[in-house]
Amino acid sequence: MSETMKAYVYHGPENMSLDIVPKPKIQEPTDAIVKVTTSTICGTDKHIRHGGLPEVEPGRIIGHEFCGVVEEVGSAVTKFKPGDRVAVSCVTQCMECYYCRRGMYSQCVDGSWIFGYMIDGCQADYVRVPYADSGMHLIPEGLTDEDVLFVGDILSTGYYGAEMGRIQPGDTVAVFGSGPVGMCAMATARLWGPANIVAVDIDDSRLDFAIRNGWADMGLNPNKVDVPEALRAMTEGRGADVTIEANGFEPTFQGAINSVRSGGTVSIIGVFETPQTVEMNKLWIKNITIAMGLVNANRIPELINLIKAGKINMKPLITHTLPLSKVAEAYDIFEERRDNAIKVVLKADA
Ligand SMILES: [Zn+2]
Ligand SMILES: [Zn+2]
C-alpha cells in the first residue's frame, strides 16, 4: 500500500480541491523528495484556477513557490541530505542543455519542468524536486522560511524584470502593477541605483504600501492622473528610462509602452492570457527595446546573500498565513484581496 498525502489539485477551470493523493516517490537518481513546510499562492495560480493557462492539465498539483525539509534524495544527489532546509526554484534545470549552459534555466529543454504547471507542485505535504542539486538552495542558519520564501519565484521574477530593464544609476524606473511581483521588481531595481522608482497601480493602498516599505519612491494612480504625462513631467519631457510591466493586462502593458522614453527599455514580466497590440507604426522610430520572459531564477544564491545581509526584505508582503488544510479559503482571501491581502502563505499542517 502506497503512502498518501494532502495536495491541492487542478481538475479544470474553476475546479480545484484538496485531495488525498499518493505521496511522490524518487523517479530519477537526480530527484529529491521535499516535505513542504511553507508555500505560497501566486498570481499565476489565479490564472490556472480560472483556466487561463490551458496547458496545465487536470490532475496537476498546483503551487510553485516554497521552502521545505529534504526527506529523501536520489543516488545522484550530492549536495543535499535528509534534514536539510531548502528554498526551491520554481523552474527546474538540468544544467547540461543548450539553455542551461547559458543560464536560461526557464528554457531548459528537459521538459520546462515548472512546478504546479508542467509537473506537480508544492501546495501539498510533499513534492518531488527534479535535478535537486541545481534547483534547491540551502537556507542559511538563522534565516526562516519566510525570510527566503520568495527567492524561488516572485523575488527572482522581480529581479529578472529589473535586470532586463538595464537600469542605469540615476534612472527613473516606473513599475506598472503594484502586486507582489511588481513590489519585488521595485525592491530589486534599487540594486542598480535608480534615482526614482515609481509605483503605478489603481489601488492607492498598494502604492502607499510600496512607498512605506521603501520599495518605491512615489506612486501614480492611472485613475487619477495621466501616468505617461506625469512621468514625462518628471523627466524633462522624455518619459521613464525603464518601464517594467508586472501585471499581464492590456492597460498596464499599454502604460508601460506609452511611458518609456526614446531609447529606453520596456521589461515585461506579467503573465498574459490574451494577445496585445503593439503600435509599430508609432514605436519603430523611438528605438525602444521591449524585453520579456519567464524568470530564469539564476540569481537565487545572490538574492539569499542580499536577504541575509539585510539589503532586501520582502517579508512585509506576507499579509495572511493559513494551514494547507485551509488552502481553498486562502485562495479566496488572495483573490478577493480580503483585508488588503497581498501575499497568502500556506504552512504545513501540524
Ligand atoms: Zn508564481
Ligand atoms: Zn537544461
Side-chain angles (χ1 to χ4, degrees), residues 241-257:
D241 301 287
V242 177
T243 59
I244 299 175
E245 202 287 340
N247 203 26
F249 292 98
E250 202 255 344
T252 42
F253 176 77
Q254 293 301 338
I257 299 237

Side-chain angles (χ1 to χ4, degrees), residues 45 56 268 302:
D45 299 331
V56 178
I268 298 170
E302 290 80 5

Side-chain angles (χ1 to χ4, degrees), residues 18 33 37 39 41 78 119 135 139 144 167 193 198 201 212 217 236 246 255 269-270 291 311 341:
L18 188 65
I33 302 299
T37 48
S39 67
I41 301 171
T78 59
I119 59 169
I139 301 176
T144 63
I167 300 162
V198 183
D201 204 283
R212 210 164 54 237
D217 299 299
E236 298 168 323
I269 47 176
K311 307 283 166 123

